[in-house]
């Protein structure tokens, strides 16, 4: 009986040691980084699909809502909306192309560093894009107003406030998602290369 217990404990300890061998850790991290790369690529595919689907829905629904563009400025509003969609689609298409063409190293440490550098760059790029996009929309809406009395209109300021809150919420979501990925990659790097 004691011999069976000893054999069982020895096999458990041998399995634990094998699991923590450098080869096992390298294999595990390579799998995790491949999964992370695939998740990022799928995220951009999902964003593009949602944008294209909502753009198609807007194309079909807008003429019905706007009574066949009969309302004043309906065609101009539709064109502005389509231009905004195109800017978003081009931005996320470029990010998707970049992720697809990202050549990851076969060695774990450079691979983790590449993904960490990409995650940091992507965070800066998306935060900058959201800021420029929303500031651009606000500036354009102010510049295209023909009546200067609108600046004192509370509904205009309410619209700007809502836009500001929406942009802030978008920034918080983007930063949180990217920071989670960056923390995950730093953890993997610490596992593989303890200081």
């Amino acid at each position: 009986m004691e011999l069976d217990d000893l054999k069982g404990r020895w096999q458990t300890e041998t399995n634990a040691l094998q699991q923590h061998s450098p080869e096992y850790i390298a294999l595990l991290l390579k799998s995790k980084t491949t999964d992370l790369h695939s998740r990022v690529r799928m995220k951009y595919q999902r964003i593009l699909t949602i944008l294209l689907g909502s753009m198609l829905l807007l194309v079909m629904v807008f003429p019905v809502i706007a009574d066949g563009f009969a309302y004043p400025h309906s065609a101009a509003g539709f064109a502005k909306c389509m231009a905004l969609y195109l800017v978003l689609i081009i931005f996320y298409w470029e990010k998707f192309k970049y992720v697809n063409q990202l050549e990851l190293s076969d060695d774990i440490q450079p691979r983790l560093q590449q993904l960490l550098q990409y995650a940091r760059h992507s965070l800066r790029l998306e935060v900058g894009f959201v800021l420029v996009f929303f500031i651009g929309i606000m500036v354009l809406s102010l510049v295209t107003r023909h009546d200067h009395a609108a600046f004192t209109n509370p509904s205009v300021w309410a619209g700007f406030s809502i836009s500001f809150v929406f942009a802030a919420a978008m920034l918080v979501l983007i930063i949180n998602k990217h920071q989670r990925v960056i923390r995950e990659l730093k953890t993997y790097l610490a596992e593989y290369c303890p200081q």
Side-chain angles (χ1 to χ4, degrees), residues 7-105:
K7 283 182 183 176
R9 251 185 292 149
W10 179 77
Q11 286 177 345
T12 304
E13 288 175 12
T14 305
N15 288 341
L17 285 173
Q18 287 175 347
Q19 286 182 347
H20 296 296
S21 70
E23 294 82 18
Y24 177 78
I25 291 173
L27 184 65
L28 183 66
L29 289 176
K30 190 170 186 177
S31 169
K32 286 183 177 184
T33 55
T34 302
D35 289 346
L36 181 67
H37 185 247
S38 298
R39 278 194 333 239
V40 169
R41 192 170 48 235
M42 286 176 58
K43 177 183 86 168
Y44 291 132
Q45 283 177 335
R46 221 177 11 255
I47 289 171
L48 284 167
T49 302
I50 290 168
L51 283 172
L52 289 170
S54 62
M55 186 178 185
L56 179 64
L57 185 65
L58 184 69
V59 167
M60 293 187 308
V61 171
F62 197 90
V64 175
I65 294 172
D67 196 21
F69 302 119
Y71 294 132
H73 307 295
S74 290
F78 179 76
K80 287 177 192 174
C81 195
M82 287 297 114
L84 293 177
Y85 265 111
L86 287 175
V87 167
L88 284 170
I89 288 169
I90 289 168
F91 175 75
Y92 281 106
W93 177 254
E94 288 301 317
K95 286 189 68 88
F96 176 69
K97 274 187 0 187
Y98 181 79
V99 168
N100 256 356
Q101 295 168 354
L102 193 62
E103 294 285 330
L104 293 176
S105 173

Side-chain angles (χ1 to χ4, degrees), residues 106-120:
D106 287 335
D107 297 330
I108 295 301
Q109 188 173 0
R111 183 186 192 110
L112 287 169
Q113 289 169 342
Q114 281 177 313
L115 285 171
L116 188 58
Q117 181 182 358
Y118 169 74
R120 288 177 175 151

Side-chain angles (χ1 to χ4, degrees), residues 1 24 41 43-44 55 82 84 89 108 124-125 128 138 140 143 153 157 164 174 190 192:
M1 225 27 177
Y24 177 78
R41 192 170 48 235
K43 177 183 86 168
Y44 291 132
M55 186 178 185
M82 287 297 114
L84 293 177
I89 288 169
I108 295 301
R124 288 191 303 270
L125 193 63
M138 288 183 191
L140 279 175
V143 169
N153 189 343
W157 290 108
F164 178 77
I174 287 169
Y192 188 70

Side-chain angles (χ1 to χ4, degrees), residues 150-170:
F151 295 120
T152 59
N153 189 343
S155 64
V156 171
W157 290 108
F160 285 143
S161 301
I162 291 169
S163 296
F164 178 77
V165 168
F166 183 72
M170 288 292 296

